[in-house]
Amino acid sequence: MSTCWEKNSDAIKQKNASLYLQLQNTVGNDDYSEVIVSKTQKYVPIFKTGAPLYSKYNPEKEFLQTFTETDTCVLFTGIASCIHISLFLRKVPSCKCLLTEINLSSLKRLLELVDITEILVNENVYLLPCIDDAHFTHALAEQYLPVIDGNLRVFSLRSWELFYKEKLPFVQKQIDTALALVKQDFSTQAEFGKIWLKNILKNLQVMAEKPLSIPICDTNKTALIVGAGPNLDKHLLTIKKERDSFVIFAAGTAFLPLVEAGIYPDFFLSIDPQVFSLYQVTSLPKNCIGIFDLCTCSSLAHRFLKNTNEFFFTISNHPLCMYANTFVSIPFADTSSGTVAIYALDVAHRLGFSKIKTFALDFCYSGGKPYPKGTWLSRQIAQRSTHLFSTESFFSSIMFRSSIEVKQIDGIYEYTSPLLLEYAKAFKQYTFDGKIWKHRFIEPFPYTAFEKTLIQEYLTEQKHAHMALLPFLAYCKKHKINFSHSLVIDTILQYNYAL
């Protein structure tokens, strides 16, 4: 006969292989000492202090009024024998149920004591990493989708809170961190959801018509990632002198200053969905290859087409990109930082470069300006500046538009903002996952079949089709647009055109 642990671990393995492996290598602690049977024949875990997690008489009775149909998404911190969770699932069958424990050792001990496979295999139940796990906050942020799930309720058993009372501030901090990520992600989706949808659909149509391939690079050279930090001006002479030893990746706005200095990048990279990104390539050398995230402004690909430059697309974790990838394998590159400089760094790794150098990834404003000379923005401002509103005034309006931090290095003031600090943090924390692209031709994308399937699966309430359109739904929610079947179909068909 299988033990409780064997039954539970088999259920976990089907849905969360990484957590299963962690638990296999974990020894249960003694936080939970035993399980007793209540008067109503329910299993009640007991803490080592002797405190039961439920009533020893009728555990279900104490939760009869706890949950209502408005509780569409609940995070249960502390799962015990899942009596309260089972009651919730019966009361709100369409809910989303997120489970976690304080740490792996406690979770392992619980899974050894009581069989909760009925809960674990439920399609509405998601067992998250434990609260003290470094991946907990991101896992919660990925699972909780407010635009679909509604408000999140956090529920803990009173006995669980008393036993772990010293750790409750940490628990709250972890949850708050996750919710801050959710808020940030929702804000971004609500801002760009529609333009992302437009760009992805149009770029996929380019992939249907234009043969694309991942280029072969001279990986014996050093990949030079060039950002658009104010200090780029100081590096131009060095780059020019050592040009032959570099394969240059121009990250977005850095492109024009390099070209103006007579340095022609090998690659131009963009993740910007807005039309302003076109201004970054007003001068386009013939041998420059474009690398674009699928969400990037679709007009960029057309500019490269018109100029007969080679280019190819990559996908991110955008749900519609993931959906498209089920039709044709498209190379993945990390855009999670939100900055093209780190995207360029990731692409260089995936192209096989082992020697990588960066210039002008300043993540601050220095020298009294936010950008180097020669950017499209500096050109625009130079043309529009007046005695009443000079170039310096405009730069100041950019640098001081939000709260800033100031530091002085060698007599030079540097200013940074919360957003730039986030970019700098993401750069320091970046690690390559080791997945190198191989040179290959990318199959023509079957856009007609993709469009037809997406619409059909959306109309028939297929979950993955609805998930693919999640950012567009967030956009509609923010702008108070009625998100209906006809709106989705009309929007998808609206962006269908022949090249």
Side-chain angles (χ1 to χ4, degrees), residues 413-493:
Y413 287 99
E414 290 186 351
Y415 306 90
T416 190
S417 66
L419 179 61
L420 291 176
L421 287 172
E422 282 297 313
Y423 288 161
K425 181 181 177 182
F427 178 73
K428 289 178 181 178
Q429 292 180 343
Y430 168 82
T431 53
F432 178 48
D433 62 14
K435 297 177 181 178
I436 296 175
W437 298 329
K438 294 180 180 178
H439 168 70
R440 64 179 174 87
F441 290 100
I442 301 170
E443 294 178 49
F445 190 79
Y447 188 81
T448 301
F450 161 82
E451 181 185 76
K452 181 179 179 181
T453 304
L454 176 60
I455 292 174
Q456 285 180 342
E457 292 188 337
Y458 175 75
L459 292 176
T460 54
E461 303 295 330
Q462 299 295 311
K463 184 177 180 180
H464 55 288
H466 278 258
M467 289 294 295
L469 297 168
L470 186 63
F472 181 51
L473 173 57
Y475 171 87
C476 292
K477 289 271 188 182
K478 177 185 177 182
H479 294 86
K480 296 181 170 61
I481 299 170
N482 182 31
F483 190 79
S484 62
H485 286 176
S486 59
L487 174 69
V488 170
I489 295 169
D490 289 347
T491 303
I492 292 172
L493 295 177

Coordinates of all heavy atoms in Angstrom, one line a residue, residues 413-493:
Y413 N 28.3 65.0 -10.5 CA 27.0 64.5 -9.9 C 26.3 63.6 -10.9 O 26.3 63.8 -12.1 CB 26.1 65.7 -9.7 CG 26.5 66.6 -8.5 CD1 27.2 67.8 -8.7 CD2 26.2 66.2 -7.2 CE1 27.6 68.5 -7.6 CE2 26.5 67.0 -6.1 CZ 27.3 68.1 -6.3 OH 27.6 68.9 -5.2
E414 N 25.8 62.5 -10.3 CA 25.0 61.5 -11.0 C 23.6 61.4 -10.4 O 23.5 61.4 -9.2 CB 25.7 60.1 -11.0 CG 27.0 60.1 -11.9 CD 27.5 58.7 -12.0 OE1 27.0 57.8 -11.3 OE2 28.5 58.5 -12.8
Y415 N 22.6 61.4 -11.2 CA 21.3 61.3 -10.8 C 20.7 60.0 -11.2 O 20.9 59.6 -12.4 CB 20.4 62.5 -11.3 CG 21.0 63.8 -11.0 CD1 21.9 64.4 -11.9 CD2 20.7 64.5 -9.9 CE1 22.4 65.7 -11.6 CE2 21.2 65.8 -9.6 CZ 22.1 66.3 -10.5 OH 22.6 67.6 -10.2
T416 N 19.9 59.4 -10.4 CA 19.2 58.1 -10.8 C 17.8 58.1 -10.2 O 17.5 58.8 -9.3 CB 20.0 56.9 -10.3 OG1 19.5 55.7 -10.9 CG2 19.9 56.7 -8.8
S417 N 16.9 57.3 -10.9 CA 15.5 57.3 -10.5 C 15.2 55.9 -10.1 O 16.0 54.9 -10.3 CB 14.7 57.7 -11.7 OG 14.8 56.7 -12.8
P418 N 14.0 55.7 -9.5 CA 13.6 54.3 -9.1 C 13.6 53.3 -10.3 O 14.0 52.2 -10.2 CB 12.2 54.5 -8.6 CG 12.2 55.9 -8.0 CD 13.1 56.7 -9.0
L419 N 13.2 53.8 -11.5 CA 13.1 52.9 -12.7 C 14.6 52.6 -13.1 O 14.8 51.4 -13.4 CB 12.4 53.6 -13.8 CG 12.3 52.8 -15.1 CD1 11.6 51.5 -14.9 CD2 11.7 53.7 -16.2
L420 N 15.5 53.5 -13.1 CA 16.8 53.2 -13.5 C 17.5 52.3 -12.5 O 18.3 51.5 -12.8 CB 17.6 54.5 -13.7 CG 17.2 55.4 -14.8 CD1 18.0 56.7 -14.8 CD2 17.5 54.7 -16.2
L421 N 17.2 52.5 -11.2 CA 17.7 51.6 -10.2 C 17.2 50.2 -10.4 O 18.0 49.2 -10.2 CB 17.3 52.1 -8.8 CG 18.0 53.3 -8.3 CD1 17.4 53.8 -7.0 CD2 19.5 53.0 -8.1
E422 N 16.0 50.0 -10.8 CA 15.4 48.7 -11.2 C 16.2 48.1 -12.3 O 16.5 46.9 -12.3 CB 13.9 48.8 -11.5 CG 13.0 48.9 -10.3 CD 13.1 47.7 -9.3 OE1 13.0 46.6 -9.8 OE2 13.2 47.9 -8.1
Y423 N 16.5 48.9 -13.3 CA 17.2 48.4 -14.5 C 18.6 47.9 -14.0 O 19.1 46.9 -14.5 CB 17.4 49.5 -15.6 CG 16.1 49.8 -16.3 CD1 16.0 51.0 -17.0 CD2 15.0 48.9 -16.3 CE1 14.8 51.3 -17.7 CE2 13.9 49.2 -17.1 CZ 13.8 50.4 -17.7 OH 12.6 50.7 -18.4
A424 N 19.3 48.7 -13.2 CA 20.6 48.4 -12.7 C 20.6 47.1 -11.9 O 21.5 46.3 -12.0 CB 21.2 49.6 -11.9
K425 N 19.6 47.0 -11.1 CA 19.4 45.7 -10.3 C 19.2 44.5 -11.2 O 19.8 43.5 -11.0 CB 18.2 45.9 -9.3 CG 18.0 44.7 -8.5 CD 16.8 44.9 -7.6 CE 16.4 43.7 -6.7 NZ 15.2 43.9 -5.9
A426 N 18.4 44.7 -12.2 CA 18.1 43.6 -13.2 C 19.4 43.2 -13.9 O 19.7 42.0 -14.2 CB 17.1 44.0 -14.2
F427 N 20.2 44.2 -14.2 CA 21.5 43.9 -14.9 C 22.5 43.1 -14.0 O 23.1 42.2 -14.5 CB 22.2 45.3 -15.3 CG 23.5 45.1 -16.0 CD1 23.6 44.6 -17.3 CD2 24.7 45.4 -15.4 CE1 24.8 44.5 -18.0 CE2 25.9 45.3 -16.0 CZ 25.9 44.8 -17.3
K428 N 22.5 43.5 -12.8 CA 23.4 42.8 -11.9 C 22.9 41.4 -11.6 O 23.7 40.4 -11.4 CB 23.5 43.6 -10.5 CG 24.3 44.9 -10.6 CD 24.3 45.6 -9.3 CE 25.0 46.9 -9.4 NZ 25.0 47.6 -8.1
Q429 N 21.6 41.2 -11.6 CA 21.1 39.9 -11.3 C 20.9 39.0 -12.5 O 20.6 37.8 -12.4 CB 19.7 40.1 -10.6 CG 19.7 40.7 -9.3 CD 18.4 40.8 -8.6 OE1 17.3 40.8 -9.3 NE2 18.3 41.1 -7.3
Y430 N 21.2 39.5 -13.7 CA 21.0 38.7 -14.9 C 21.9 37.5 -14.9 O 23.1 37.6 -14.6 CB 21.3 39.6 -16.2 CG 21.4 38.7 -17.4 CD1 20.2 38.3 -18.1 CD2 22.6 38.3 -17.9 CE1 20.3 37.5 -19.2 CE2 22.7 37.5 -19.0 CZ 21.6 37.1 -19.7 OH 21.7 36.3 -20.8
T431 N 21.4 36.4 -15.2 CA 22.2 35.2 -15.5 C 21.7 34.5 -16.7 O 20.5 34.4 -17.0 CB 22.1 34.2 -14.3 OG1 20.7 33.9 -14.0 CG2 22.7 34.8 -13.0
F432 N 22.6 34.0 -17.5 CA 22.3 33.3 -18.8 C 21.8 31.9 -18.5 O 22.5 31.2 -17.7 CB 23.5 33.4 -19.7 CG 23.2 32.6 -21.0 CD1 22.1 32.9 -21.8 CD2 24.2 31.7 -21.5 CE1 21.9 32.2 -23.0 CE2 24.0 31.1 -22.7 CZ 22.8 31.3 -23.4
D433 N 20.8 31.5 -19.1 CA 20.2 30.1 -18.8 C 21.0 29.0 -19.6 O 20.6 27.8 -19.5 CB 18.7 30.0 -19.1 CG 18.4 30.3 -20.6 OD1 19.3 30.3 -21.4 OD2 17.2 30.6 -20.8
G434 N 22.0 29.4 -20.4 CA 22.8 28.4 -21.1 C 22.2 27.9 -22.4 O 22.8 27.1 -23.1
K435 N 21.0 28.4 -22.9 CA 20.4 28.0 -24.1 C 20.9 28.8 -25.3 O 20.3 29.9 -25.6 CB 18.9 28.0 -24.0 CG 18.4 27.1 -22.8 CD 16.9 27.2 -22.7 CE 16.4 26.3 -21.5 NZ 14.9 26.4 -21.3
I436 N 21.8 28.2 -26.0 CA 22.4 28.9 -27.2 C 21.6 28.6 -28.4 O 21.3 27.4 -28.6 CB 23.9 28.5 -27.3 CG1 24.7 29.0 -26.1 CG2 24.5 29.1 -28.6 CD1 26.2 28.6 -26.1
W437 N 21.4 29.6 -29.2 CA 20.7 29.4 -30.5 C 21.7 28.7 -31.5 O 22.9 29.0 -31.5 CB 20.2 30.7 -31.2 CG 19.2 31.5 -30.4 CD1 18.3 31.0 -29.5 CD2 19.1 32.9 -30.4 NE1 17.5 32.0 -29.0 CE2 18.0 33.2 -29.6 CE3 19.8 33.9 -31.1 CZ2 17.6 34.5 -29.3 CZ3 19.3 35.2 -30.9 CH2 18.3 35.5 -30.0
K438 N 21.1 27.8 -32.3 CA 21.9 27.3 -33.4 C 21.5 28.0 -34.7 O 20.4 28.4 -34.8 CB 21.7 25.8 -33.6 CG 22.2 25.0 -32.4 CD 21.9 23.5 -32.6 CE 22.4 22.7 -31.4 NZ 22.1 21.2 -31.6
H439 N 22.5 28.2 -35.6 CA 22.1 28.8 -36.8 C 21.1 28.0 -37.5 O 21.2 26.8 -37.7 CB 23.4 29.0 -37.7 CG 23.0 29.3 -39.2 ND1 22.5 30.6 -39.5 CD2 23.0 28.6 -40.3 CE1 22.3 30.6 -40.8 NE2 22.6 29.5 -41.3
R440 N 20.0 28.6 -37.9 CA 18.9 27.8 -38.6 C 18.0 28.8 -39.3 O 17.9 30.0 -38.9 CB 18.1 27.0 -37.6 CG 17.3 27.8 -36.6 CD 16.6 26.8 -35.7 NE 15.9 27.5 -34.6 CZ 14.7 28.0 -34.7 NH1 14.0 28.0 -35.8 NH2 14.1 28.6 -33.6
F441 N 17.3 28.3 -40.3 CA 16.3 29.1 -41.0 C 15.0 28.9 -40.1 O 14.7 27.8 -39.6 CB 16.1 28.6 -42.4 CG 17.2 28.9 -43.3 CD1 18.2 28.0 -43.6 CD2 17.3 30.2 -43.8 CE1 19.2 28.3 -44.4 CE2 18.4 30.5 -44.7 CZ 19.4 29.5 -44.9
I442 N 14.3 30.0 -40.0 CA 13.0 30.0 -39.2 C 11.9 29.7 -40.2 O 11.8 30.4 -41.2 CB 12.8 31.3 -38.5 CG1 14.0 31.5 -37.5 CG2 11.5 31.3 -37.7 CD1 14.0 32.9 -36.9
E443 N 11.1 28.7 -39.9 CA 10.0 28.3 -40.9 C 9.1 29.5 -41.1 O 8.8 30.3 -40.2 CB 9.2 27.2 -40.3 CG 10.0 25.8 -40.1 CD 9.1 24.8 -39.5 OE1 8.0 24.6 -40.0 OE2 9.6 24.2 -38.5
P444 N 8.5 29.6 -42.3 CA 7.5 30.6 -42.5 C 6.3 30.4 -41.6 O 5.9 29.3 -41.3 CB 7.1 30.4 -44.0 CG 8.3 29.7 -44.6 CD 8.9 28.9 -43.5
F445 N 5.8 31.5 -41.0 CA 4.8 31.4 -40.0 C 3.4 31.1 -40.7 O 3.0 31.9 -41.6 CB 4.7 32.6 -39.1 CG 3.8 32.4 -37.9 CD1 4.3 31.8 -36.8 CD2 2.5 32.9 -37.9 CE1 3.5 31.6 -35.7 CE2 1.7 32.8 -36.9 CZ 2.2 32.1 -35.7
P446 N 2.7 30.1 -40.3 CA 1.3 29.8 -40.9 C 0.3 30.8 -40.3 O -0.6 30.4 -39.6 CB 1.1 28.4 -40.5 CG 1.8 28.2 -39.2 CD 3.0 29.1 -39.2
Y447 N 0.3 32.0 -40.8 CA -0.5 33.0 -40.1 C -2.0 32.8 -40.3 O -2.8 33.0 -39.3 CB -0.2 34.4 -40.7 CG -0.9 35.5 -39.8 CD1 -0.4 35.9 -38.6 CD2 -2.2 36.0 -40.3 CE1 -1.1 36.9 -37.9 CE2 -2.8 37.0 -39.5 CZ -2.3 37.4 -38.3 OH -3.0 38.3 -37.5
T448 N -2.4 32.3 -41.4 CA -3.9 32.1 -41.7 C -4.4 31.0 -40.7 O -5.5 31.2 -40.1 CB -4.1 31.6 -43.1 OG1 -3.6 32.7 -44.0 CG2 -5.6 31.4 -43.4
A449 N -3.6 29.9 -40.5 CA -4.0 28.9 -39.6 C -4.0 29.4 -38.2 O -4.9 29.0 -37.4 CB -3.1 27.7 -39.8
F450 N -3.0 30.1 -37.9 CA -2.9 30.7 -36.5 C -4.1 31.6 -36.2 O -4.7 31.5 -35.1 CB -1.6 31.5 -36.4 CG -1.5 32.5 -35.3 CD1 -1.2 32.2 -34.0 CD2 -1.8 33.9 -35.6 CE1 -1.1 33.1 -33.0 CE2 -1.8 34.8 -34.5 CZ -1.4 34.4 -33.3
E451 N -4.4 32.5 -37.1 CA -5.5 33.4 -36.9 C -6.9 32.7 -36.7 O -7.6 32.9 -35.8 CB -5.6 34.4 -38.0 CG -6.7 35.4 -37.9 CD -6.8 36.3 -39.2 OE1 -7.3 35.8 -40.2 OE2 -6.4 37.4 -39.1
K452 N -7.1 31.7 -37.6 CA -8.3 30.9 -37.5 C -8.4 30.1 -36.2 O -9.5 30.1 -35.5 CB -8.4 30.0 -38.7 CG -9.6 29.1 -38.8 CD -9.6 28.2 -40.0 CE -10.9 27.3 -40.1 NZ -10.8 26.4 -41.2
T453 N -7.3 29.5 -35.8 CA -7.3 28.7 -34.6 C -7.5 29.6 -33.3 O -8.2 29.2 -32.4 CB -6.0 27.9 -34.5 OG1 -5.8 27.1 -35.6 CG2 -6.0 27.0 -33.2
L454 N -6.8 30.7 -33.3 CA -6.9 31.6 -32.2 C -8.4 32.1 -32.0 O -8.9 32.0 -30.8 CB -6.0 32.8 -32.4 CG -6.1 33.9 -31.3 CD1 -5.7 33.4 -29.9 CD2 -5.2 35.1 -31.7
I455 N -9.0 32.5 -33.0 CA -10.4 32.9 -32.9 C -11.3 31.8 -32.5 O -12.2 31.9 -31.6 CB -10.9 33.5 -34.3 CG1 -10.1 34.8 -34.6 CG2 -12.4 33.7 -34.3 CD1 -10.4 35.4 -35.9
Q456 N -11.2 30.6 -33.1 CA -12.0 29.4 -32.8 C -11.8 29.0 -31.3 O -12.8 28.8 -30.6 CB -11.7 28.3 -33.7 CG -12.2 28.4 -35.1 CD -11.9 27.2 -36.0 OE1 -11.0 26.4 -35.6 NE2 -12.6 27.0 -37.1
E457 N -10.6 29.0 -30.9 CA -10.3 28.5 -29.5 C -10.8 29.6 -28.5 O -11.2 29.3 -27.4 CB -8.8 28.2 -29.3 CG -8.4 27.0 -30.1 CD -7.0 26.5 -29.8 OE1 -6.2 27.3 -29.3 OE2 -6.7 25.3 -30.0
Y458 N -10.7 30.8 -28.9 CA -11.2 31.9 -28.0 C -12.7 31.8 -27.9 O -13.3 31.9 -26.8 CB -10.8 33.3 -28.5 CG -11.5 34.4 -27.7 CD1 -11.0 34.7 -26.4 CD2 -12.6 35.1 -28.2 CE1 -11.6 35.7 -25.7 CE2 -13.2 36.0 -27.4 CZ -12.7 36.4 -26.1 OH -13.3 37.3 -25.4
L459 N -13.4 31.6 -29.0 CA -14.9 31.5 -29.0 C -15.4 30.3 -28.2 O -16.5 30.2 -27.7 CB -15.4 31.5 -30.4 CG -15.3 32.8 -31.2 CD1 -15.8 32.6 -32.6 CD2 -16.0 33.9 -30.5
T460 N -14.6 29.2 -28.2 CA -15.0 28.0 -27.5 C -14.4 27.9 -26.1 O -14.3 26.8 -25.5 CB -14.5 26.7 -28.3 OG1 -13.1 26.8 -28.6 CG2 -15.3 26.6 -29.6
E461 N -14.0 29.1 -25.6 CA -13.5 29.2 -24.2 C -12.3 28.4 -23.8 O -12.2 27.9 -22.7 CB -14.7 28.9 -23.3 CG -15.9 29.7 -23.5 CD -15.7 31.2 -23.2 OE1 -14.9 31.5 -22.3 OE2 -16.4 32.0 -23.8
Q462 N -11.4 28.2 -24.8 CA -10.2 27.4 -24.5 C -9.3 28.3 -23.7 O -9.0 29.5 -24.0 CB -9.4 27.0 -25.8 CG -10.3 26.1 -26.7 CD -10.5 24.8 -26.1 OE1 -9.6 24.1 -25.5 NE2 -11.8 24.4 -26.1
K463 N -8.8 27.8 -22.5 CA -8.1 28.6 -21.6 C -6.8 29.3 -22.2 O -6.5 30.4 -21.9 CB -7.7 27.8 -20.3 CG -7.0 28.6 -19.2 CD -6.7 27.7 -18.0 CE -6.0 28.5 -16.9 NZ -5.7 27.6 -15.8
H464 N -6.0 28.5 -22.9 CA -4.8 29.0 -23.4 C -5.0 30.2 -24.5 O -4.2 31.1 -24.6 CB -3.9 27.9 -24.1 CG -4.6 27.1 -25.1 ND1 -5.6 26.2 -24.9 CD2 -4.4 27.1 -26.5 CE1 -6.0 25.7 -26.0 NE2 -5.3 26.2 -27.0
A465 N -6.1 30.1 -25.2 CA -6.5 31.2 -26.1 C -6.8 32.5 -25.3 O -6.4 33.6 -25.7 CB -7.6 30.8 -27.0
H466 N -7.6 32.3 -24.2 CA -7.9 33.5 -23.4 C -6.6 34.0 -22.7 O -6.5 35.3 -22.6 CB -8.9 33.1 -22.3 CG -10.3 33.0 -22.8 ND1 -11.2 34.0 -22.6 CD2 -11.0 32.2 -23.6 CE1 -12.4 33.8 -23.2 NE2 -12.3 32.6 -23.8
M467 N -5.7 33.2 -22.3 CA -4.5 33.6 -21.7 C -3.7 34.4 -22.7 O -3.0 35.4 -22.3 CB -3.7 32.4 -21.1 CG -4.3 31.8 -19.9 SD -4.3 32.9 -18.5 CE -2.5 33.0 -18.2
A468 N -3.7 34.0 -23.9 CA -2.9 34.7 -25.0 C -3.3 36.1 -25.1 O -2.5 37.0 -25.5 CB -3.1 33.9 -26.3
L469 N -4.6 36.4 -24.8 CA -5.1 37.7 -25.0 C -5.2 38.5 -23.7 O -5.8 39.6 -23.7 CB -6.5 37.7 -25.7 CG -6.5 37.0 -27.1 CD1 -7.9 36.7 -27.5 CD2 -5.9 38.0 -28.1
L470 N -4.6 38.0 -22.7 CA -4.7 38.6 -21.3 C -4.2 40.1 -21.3 O -4.9 40.9 -20.7 CB -3.9 37.8 -20.3 CG -4.0 38.2 -18.9 CD1 -5.4 38.0 -18.4 CD2 -3.0 37.3 -18.0
P471 N -3.1 40.4 -21.9 CA -2.7 41.8 -21.9 C -3.7 42.8 -22.5 O -3.9 43.9 -22.1 CB -1.3 41.8 -22.6 CG -0.8 40.5 -22.4 CD -2.0 39.6 -22.5
F472 N -4.3 42.3 -23.6 CA -5.3 43.1 -24.3 C -6.5 43.3 -23.4 O -7.1 44.4 -23.3 CB -5.7 42.4 -25.6 CG -6.7 43.2 -26.4 CD1 -6.6 44.5 -26.7 CD2 -7.9 42.6 -26.9 CE1 -7.5 45.3 -27.4 CE2 -8.8 43.3 -27.6 CZ -8.7 44.6 -27.9
L473 N -6.9 42.2 -22.6 CA -8.0 42.3 -21.7 C -7.6 43.4 -20.6 O -8.5 44.2 -20.2 CB -8.2 41.0 -21.0 CG -9.2 40.9 -19.9 CD1 -10.6 41.5 -20.3 CD2 -9.4 39.5 -19.4
A474 N -6.4 43.4 -20.1 CA -6.0 44.4 -19.1 C -6.1 45.8 -19.7 O -6.5 46.7 -19.0 CB -4.5 44.1 -18.7
Y475 N -5.7 46.0 -21.0 CA -5.9 47.3 -21.6 C -7.3 47.7 -21.6 O -7.7 48.8 -21.3 CB -5.3 47.2 -23.0 CG -5.6 48.4 -23.9 CD1 -4.7 49.5 -23.9 CD2 -6.7 48.5 -24.7 CE1 -5.0 50.6 -24.7 CE2 -7.0 49.6 -25.5 CZ -6.2 50.6 -25.4 OH -6.4 51.8 -26.2
C476 N -8.2 46.8 -22.0 CA -9.6 47.1 -22.1 C -10.2 47.4 -20.7 O -11.0 48.3 -20.6 CB -10.4 45.9 -22.7 SG -10.0 45.6 -24.4
K477 N -9.7 46.7 -19.7 CA -10.2 47.0 -18.3 C -9.8 48.4 -17.9 O -10.6 49.2 -17.3 CB -9.6 46.0 -17.3 CG -10.1 44.6 -17.4 CD -11.3 44.4 -16.5 CE -11.7 42.9 -16.5 NZ -12.9 42.7 -15.6
K478 N -8.6 48.8 -18.2 CA -8.1 50.1 -17.8 C -8.9 51.2 -18.5 O -9.2 52.3 -17.9 CB -6.6 50.3 -18.1 CG -6.1 51.7 -17.8 CD -4.6 51.8 -18.2 CE -4.2 53.2 -17.9 NZ -2.7 53.4 -18.4
H479 N -9.2 51.0 -19.8 CA -9.8 52.0 -20.6 C -11.3 51.9 -20.7 O -12.0 52.5 -21.5 CB -9.2 52.0 -22.0 CG -7.8 52.4 -22.0 ND1 -6.8 51.5 -21.8 CD2 -7.2 53.6 -22.2 CE1 -5.6 52.2 -21.9 NE2 -5.8 53.4 -22.2
K480 N -11.9 51.0 -19.8 CA -13.3 50.8 -19.7 C -14.0 50.4 -21.0 O -15.0 51.0 -21.4 CB -14.0 52.0 -19.1 CG -13.5 52.3 -17.6 CD -14.2 53.5 -17.1 CE -14.0 53.7 -15.6 NZ -12.6 53.9 -15.2
I481 N -13.3 49.5 -21.7 CA -13.8 49.1 -23.0 C -14.5 47.7 -22.8 O -13.9 46.8 -22.1 CB -12.7 48.9 -24.1 CG1 -12.0 50.3 -24.3 CG2 -13.2 48.3 -25.4 CD1 -10.7 50.2 -25.1
N482 N -15.6 47.5 -23.3 CA -16.3 46.2 -23.1 C -15.6 45.1 -23.9 O -15.5 45.1 -25.1 CB -17.8 46.4 -23.6 CG -18.6 45.1 -23.5 OD1 -18.3 44.3 -22.5 ND2 -19.5 44.8 -24.4
F483 N -15.1 44.2 -23.1 CA -14.3 43.1 -23.7 C -15.2 42.0 -24.1 O -15.7 41.2 -23.3 CB -13.3 42.6 -22.7 CG -12.2 41.6 -23.2 CD1 -11.2 42.1 -24.0 CD2 -12.4 40.3 -23.0 CE1 -10.2 41.2 -24.5 CE2 -11.5 39.4 -23.5 CZ -10.4 39.8 -24.3
S484 N -15.5 41.9 -25.4 CA -16.5 41.0 -25.9 C -15.9 40.1 -27.0 O -14.8 40.4 -27.5 CB -17.7 41.7 -26.4 OG -17.4 42.5 -27.5
H485 N -16.7 39.1 -27.4 CA -16.2 38.2 -28.5 C -16.1 39.0 -29.8 O -15.1 38.9 -30.5 CB -17.2 37.1 -28.7 CG -17.1 36.0 -27.6 ND1 -18.0 34.9 -27.6 CD2 -16.3 35.9 -26.6 CE1 -17.7 34.2 -26.6 NE2 -16.6 34.7 -26.0
S486 N -17.0 39.9 -30.0 CA -17.0 40.7 -31.3 C -15.8 41.6 -31.3 O -15.2 41.8 -32.3 CB -18.3 41.4 -31.5 OG -18.5 42.3 -30.4
L487 N -15.5 42.2 -30.1 CA -14.3 43.1 -30.0 C -13.0 42.4 -30.4 O -12.2 42.9 -31.1 CB -14.2 43.7 -28.6 CG -13.0 44.6 -28.4 CD1 -13.0 45.9 -29.2 CD2 -12.8 44.9 -26.9
V488 N -12.9 41.2 -29.8 CA -11.7 40.4 -30.0 C -11.5 40.0 -31.5 O -10.4 40.2 -32.1 CB -11.7 39.1 -29.1 CG1 -10.5 38.2 -29.5 CG2 -11.6 39.5 -27.6
I489 N -12.6 39.5 -32.1 CA -12.5 39.1 -33.5 C -12.3 40.3 -34.4 O -11.4 40.2 -35.3 CB -13.8 38.4 -33.9 CG1 -14.0 37.1 -33.1 CG2 -13.9 38.1 -35.4 CD1 -15.3 36.5 -33.2
D490 N -13.0 41.4 -34.1 CA -12.8 42.6 -35.0 C -11.4 43.1 -34.9 O -10.8 43.5 -35.9 CB -13.8 43.7 -34.6 CG -15.2 43.4 -35.0 OD1 -15.4 42.4 -35.7 OD2 -16.1 44.0 -34.4
T491 N -10.8 43.1 -33.6 CA -9.4 43.6 -33.4 C -8.4 42.7 -34.1 O -7.5 43.2 -34.8 CB -9.1 43.7 -31.9 OG1 -10.1 44.5 -31.3 CG2 -7.7 44.3 -31.7
I492 N -8.6 41.4 -34.0 CA -7.6 40.5 -34.7 C -7.7 40.7 -36.2 O -6.7 40.8 -36.9 CB -7.9 39.0 -34.3 CG1 -7.6 38.8 -32.8 CG2 -7.1 38.1 -35.1 CD1 -8.0 37.5 -32.3
L493 N -8.9 40.7 -36.7 CA -9.1 40.8 -38.2 C -8.6 42.2 -38.7 O -8.2 42.4 -39.8 CB -10.5 40.6 -38.6 CG -11.0 39.2 -38.3 CD1 -12.5 39.1 -38.7 CD2 -10.2 38.2 -39.1

